[in-house]
Amino acid sequence: MTTEQVLTFNVASVVADVLQKHGPRFSDINLASRKADEASLRRYEAAGWLRKSVGVVVGKDLPAQPSEEEFRLGLRSGIILCNVLNKVQPGAVAKVVEGPCDSVVIPDGAALSAFQYFENVRNFLVAAEELGLPTFEASDLEQGGKSAMARIVNCVLALKSYSEWKQGGEKGPWKYAGNLKPSICVSGKPFMRKTSEPFMNSFSRTSSGGQKSLDGVCSEQALNGDLGHDLNEAGNLRNINVLVRAALSDKKPEEIPITVESMLSKVMEEFERRLANQNELEVECPINKKTEEGAATETKGKKHANLMSAHNEESKTRLLKQQMLIELQQRDIVELKQTLHTTKAGMQFLQVKYMEDLDTLGNQLHGLAHAASSYQKVLEENRKLYNQVQDLKGNIRVYCRVRPFLDGQSSFMSTVEHIEKGDIVITTPSKYGKEGRKSFSFNKVFGPNATQAEVFSDTRSLIRSVLDGYNVCIFAYGQTGSGKTFTMTGPKELTEESLGVNYRALNDLFLISNQRRDTIHYDIFVQMLEIYNEQVRDLLKSVTVHKIESMCQMQTLYLFHQQMML
Ligand SMILES: Nc1ncnc2c1ncn2[C@@H]1O[C@H](COP(=O)(O)OP(=O)(O)OP(=O)(O)O)[C@@H](O)[C@H]1O
């Protein structure tokens, strides 16, 4: 086929058909919803044009963007349709019933009005058919339904197209939906009103003249399932985008070029098939060979050729874009792989380092445990040595403390002549010679000025021996008023400095036991006893009295009362 010939189909519809037929998952992209949107757009277009054509007053019943039902009701009376048709083709409808009953009130208004409507609709349909427009059935306006609406909208849009063709000066043959208008194709066939035909038959879109005209073919094509694609080229272009995306959406990047290639080859096949069909049709239809139509056909052919090349260009551009996208994604994948590799290596390095750190920590812990056990051994050794020192110092230690003069006593009455470390010399003025001067030796002698802390300092080491498991006994001995209570407890008004041996010993006992609490658990018990006139009295259990003999058998005694007598 040469480019001079006219294409009776558009390229976009071929591509859309192929994509619909072969595009995978086409049904998944909600075809129904897309068709509904498309139908709505077409309906709005038809309604808008009708309203514009007939004006606000006549078109008051038809909203600008009507629903299917509103569209049907708006056109049901046929008034708008007839008026529009008369505007496009003056005199096409001879009589238009403007009111439901021409202002005559009829009791059974609804039925009669319906008849009046049929009259309008019938007249419109007859006139439209004579013009070669795709028509619908009068019952379509009564019953409604999707396919009925599609037929009505198609008819209105065809009328619109026809009107635009006329307004454009009727240049070239009028074509709608890719088919030449039969009034031009079929030469010598005048427009004929068929008002004399039976009412219902006159509404049939296929029965005109008892045979199917080219209009009929056109109508049939327009009314089949692909109505929207064949009628609206711009819509087809939009659809192609949607279909291409749908066909490629679930494909892997490496599959896209193969898929696109296969789609294009199918488009070419379909295109060639349709060309062949058209050739056959042209052979059968000598009308197309009219010389007066040659120029127009040539122009149309060129237009289609241009359109085809534009489509090819567009397809190539799209293919290039997709290839670029694929390359970009492949680069991203390579980068991601590298990142993954680096991260993996980093993780492995961290794992090795973590294991090394764990080993080091384990070794250090082992060293610490070893040091701790050594420390315990050293500590034990130290304890033994400490207590051996205590033994060497003497198991029994005797200290002497000289009480100072009390208030009211004169110091020149003192019998203490001399004190030096562990020795004290006492003089008795009433006796002379050897008897008047006596010397005594102790572990240590504390003079009248010795403080409570100094007295306790020599006793302190024994408290630690108690906690090491040794028995210790501390007691004070002396005549009445010599200062036993003062040394062991302290004065009546106690201060930190004046605390006696008992308080200080107990403080040390709890302090050391607390320091050792992590390694040794101590239970500490206290007894408070009074021994008087050879009788022992438990001050915490005042009823129990023991003989002094039984008391002597006790191996451990932590605390002694200041008046303990042996
Ligand atoms: N080193 C001292 N410094 C100051 N005052 C002391 C000292 N020793 C004892 N005194 C005082 O001497 C007095 C008698 O002391 P304390 O009561 O301790 O004697 P005691 O031996 O316990 O007597 P008793 O056997 O009758 O109970 C108290 O008033 C006490 O405060």
Side-chain angles (χ1 to χ4, degrees):
M1 180 174 182
T2 62
T3 52
E4 286 79 23
Q5 287 174 297
V6 177
L7 292 169
T8 58
F9 51 87
N10 62 49
V11 179
S13 69
V14 175
V15 177
D17 285 351
V18 169
L19 285 171
Q20 271 189 17
K21 221 180 279 176
H22 301 283
R25 291 177 64 240
F26 177 67
S27 56
D28 296 347
I29 63 166
N30 200 350
L31 177 62
S33 133
R34 191 171 58 74
K35 276 192 169 181
D37 290 346
E38 221 168 71
S40 299
L41 286 174
R42 287 168 54 73
R43 190 167 62 249
Y44 299 160
E45 187 187 347
W49 179 73
L50 287 172
R51 280 162 58 87
K52 197 176 153 192
S53 301
V54 297
V56 184
V57 180
V58 180
K60 67 182 185 309
D61 295 333
L62 185 65
Q65 293 192 341
S67 64
E68 282 184 351
E69 188 61 7
E70 286 170 340
F71 190 73
R72 185 182 73 79
L73 291 174
L75 301 186
R76 189 168 165 240
S77 67
I79 296 169
I80 293 175
L81 290 172
C82 290
N83 277 303
V84 166
L85 188 54
N86 276 341
K87 280 211 169 174
V88 174
Q89 187 79 26
V93 180
K95 187 194 173 193
V96 181
V97 181
E98 293 292 346
C101 55
D102 284 346
S103 304
V104 177
V105 179
I106 295 166
D108 188 8
L112 203 57
S113 294
F115 177 78
Q116 299 283 358
Y117 296 160
F118 272 124
E119 189 68 22
N120 279 340
V121 173
R122 185 195 61 182
N123 291 339
F124 168 80
L125 288 171
V126 169
E129 193 172 3
E130 285 175 352
L131 279 177
L133 300 174
T135 58
F136 53 90
E137 295 190 21
S139 58
D140 288 345
L141 273 172
E142 288 305 312
Q143 291 161 3
K146 290 222 178 295
S147 54
M149 279 304 116
R151 284 192 287 272
I152 298 165
V153 169
N154 187 42
C155 173
V156 173
L157 290 179
L159 183 58
K160 177 179 175 254
S161 167
Y162 181 69
S163 162
E164 286 163 357
W165 174 74
K166 281 192 78 175
Q167 281 171 3
E170 302 188 12
K171 287 175 188 163
W174 175 69
K175 186 173 82 74
Y176 181 64
N179 289 293
L180 293 177
K181 179 177 171 288
S183 61
I184 295 166
C185 295
V186 184
S187 66
K189 184 181 176 184
F191 289 162
M192 243 173 73
R193 300 290 301 274
K194 296 183 181 176
T195 48
S196 58
E197 283 180 14
F199 178 72
M200 289 309 290
N201 287 343
S202 69
F203 298 137
S204 166
R205 65 183 183 279
T206 56
S207 62
S208 174
Q211 62 181 9
K212 199 180 269 187
S213 69
L214 279 181
D215 275 335
V217 174
C218 169
S219 299
E220 284 296 280
Q221 283 180 349
L223 295 171
N224 70 15
D226 300 324
L227 188 69
H229 300 284
D230 289 333
L231 295 180
N232 194 326
E233 215 171 275
N236 271 331
L237 289 174
R238 279 198 303 275
N239 292 342
I240 288 168
N241 280 333
V242 175
L243 291 168
V244 167
R245 279 197 207 104
L248 299 180
S249 63
D250 60 343
K251 292 281 180 285
K252 291 175 184 168
E254 59 270 19
E255 292 173 345
I256 289 176
I258 301 162
T259 312
V260 171
E261 200 180 331
S262 122
M263 288 289 171
L264 284 175
S265 74
K266 283 197 176 97
V267 168
M268 288 309 294
E269 275 172 29
E270 179 65 15
F271 195 77
E272 280 167 10
R273 191 182 65 75
R274 291 198 186 186
L275 281 179
N277 283 348
Q278 185 176 331
N279 278 339
E280 284 171 19
L281 204 67
E282 281 170 357
V283 170
E284 287 168 12
C285 183
I287 302 157
N288 287 336
K289 291 174 184 171
K290 275 184 170 272
T291 50
E292 59 188 24
E293 292 168 2
T297 309
E298 190 180 342
T299 318
K300 205 74 186 171
K302 278 179 183 171
K303 268 188 187 174
H304 279 284
N306 289 339
L307 195 64
M308 246 188 78
S309 81
H311 267 293
N312 285 339
E313 281 298 316
E314 198 184 335
S315 300
K316 276 180 190 169
T317 316
R318 201 175 295 137
L319 196 63
L320 272 174
K321 276 182 187 170
Q322 282 165 356
Q323 278 172 348
M324 278 169 66
L325 198 69
I326 290 163
E327 280 170 17
L328 209 67
Q329 283 174 346
Q330 278 171 345
R331 272 207 298 275
D332 285 350
I333 289 168
V334 170
E335 272 177 27
L336 275 174
K337 274 183 182 169
Q338 279 172 354
T339 313
L340 186 71
H341 186 70
T342 315
T343 314
K344 219 173 177 180
M347 284 301 293
Q348 279 168 354
F349 173 75
L350 279 176
Q351 208 171 359
V352 169
K353 196 160 177 348
Y354 178 70
M355 292 306 289
E356 281 175 6
D357 286 354
L358 266 184
D359 283 350
T360 313
L361 274 174
N363 290 337
Q364 285 175 352
L365 202 67
H366 188 70
L368 274 175
H370 184 69
S373 81
S374 303
Y375 173 74
Q376 284 297 330
K377 280 179 193 165
V378 171
L379 203 67
E380 194 59 37
E381 191 67 24
N382 182 25
R383 244 177 242 151
K384 276 182 189 166
L385 287 171
Y386 176 85
N387 287 295
Q388 278 174 8
V389 169
Q390 299 306 317
D391 283 347
L392 287 172
K393 273 187 176 180
N395 275 335
I396 298 172
R397 297 177 210 171
V398 182
Y399 298 91
C400 174
R401 185 180 192 181
V402 179
R403 177 178 62 77
F405 283 107
L406 300 175
D407 292 341
Q409 292 180 330
S410 67
S411 57
F412 65 84
M413 294 285 290
S414 176
T415 56
V416 178
E417 187 188 278
H418 178 69
I419 296 173
E420 191 177 351
K421 290 189 178 175
D423 297 325
I424 182 168
V425 179
I426 306 293
T427 56
T428 313
S430 59
K431 294 180 180 176
Y432 297 98
K434 196 182 174 183
E435 289 296 314
R437 195 165 178 272
K438 284 192 177 176
S439 175
F440 299 94
S441 289
F442 298 92
N443 283 78
K444 194 169 184 178
V445 177
F446 296 103
N449 296 322
T451 63
Q452 296 284 68
E454 284 169 356
V455 172
F456 180 67
S457 65
D458 267 50
T459 315
R460 166 166 267 159
S461 55
L462 295 171
I463 306 302
R464 195 172 149 186
S465 289
V466 172
L467 292 167
D468 286 341
Y470 293 88
N471 297 325
V472 174
C473 173
I474 307 167
F475 70 92
Y477 171 80
Q479 66 183 68
T480 301
S482 60
K484 301 183 293 292
T485 306
F486 187 91
T487 299
M488 296 304 287
T489 306
K492 283 181 184 171
E493 290 178 6
L494 280 172
T495 61
E496 202 173 337
E497 287 78 27
S498 65
L499 287 175
V501 171
N502 286 346
Y503 287 112
R504 289 172 191 265
L506 284 171
N507 277 346
D508 273 16
L509 202 70
F510 287 112
L511 185 74
I512 296 168
S513 68
N514 199 35
Q515 283 171 350
R516 295 181 181 180
R517 69 177 182 276
D518 291 337
T519 48
I520 304 171
H521 174 77
Y522 289 103
D523 290 325
I524 298 175
F525 302 93
V526 174
Q527 277 187 311
M528 191 160 282
L529 305 172
E530 181 187 67
I531 304 169
Y532 190 72
N533 285 339
E534 296 188 354
Q535 281 199 327
V536 178
R537 197 155 64 97
D538 190 338
L539 297 178
L540 300 177
K541 281 186 180 177
S542 56
V543 182
T544 314
V545 179
H546 300 279
K547 285 283 182 188
I548 191 167
E549 289 81 14
S550 63
M551 179 63 207
C552 290
Q553 290 170 1
M554 293 171 70
Q555 289 190 339
T556 306
L557 183 64
Y558 294 112
L559 182 64
F560 283 83
H561 190 259
Q562 75 275 15
Q563 288 184 334
M564 185 175 179
M565 303 286 282
L566 287 175

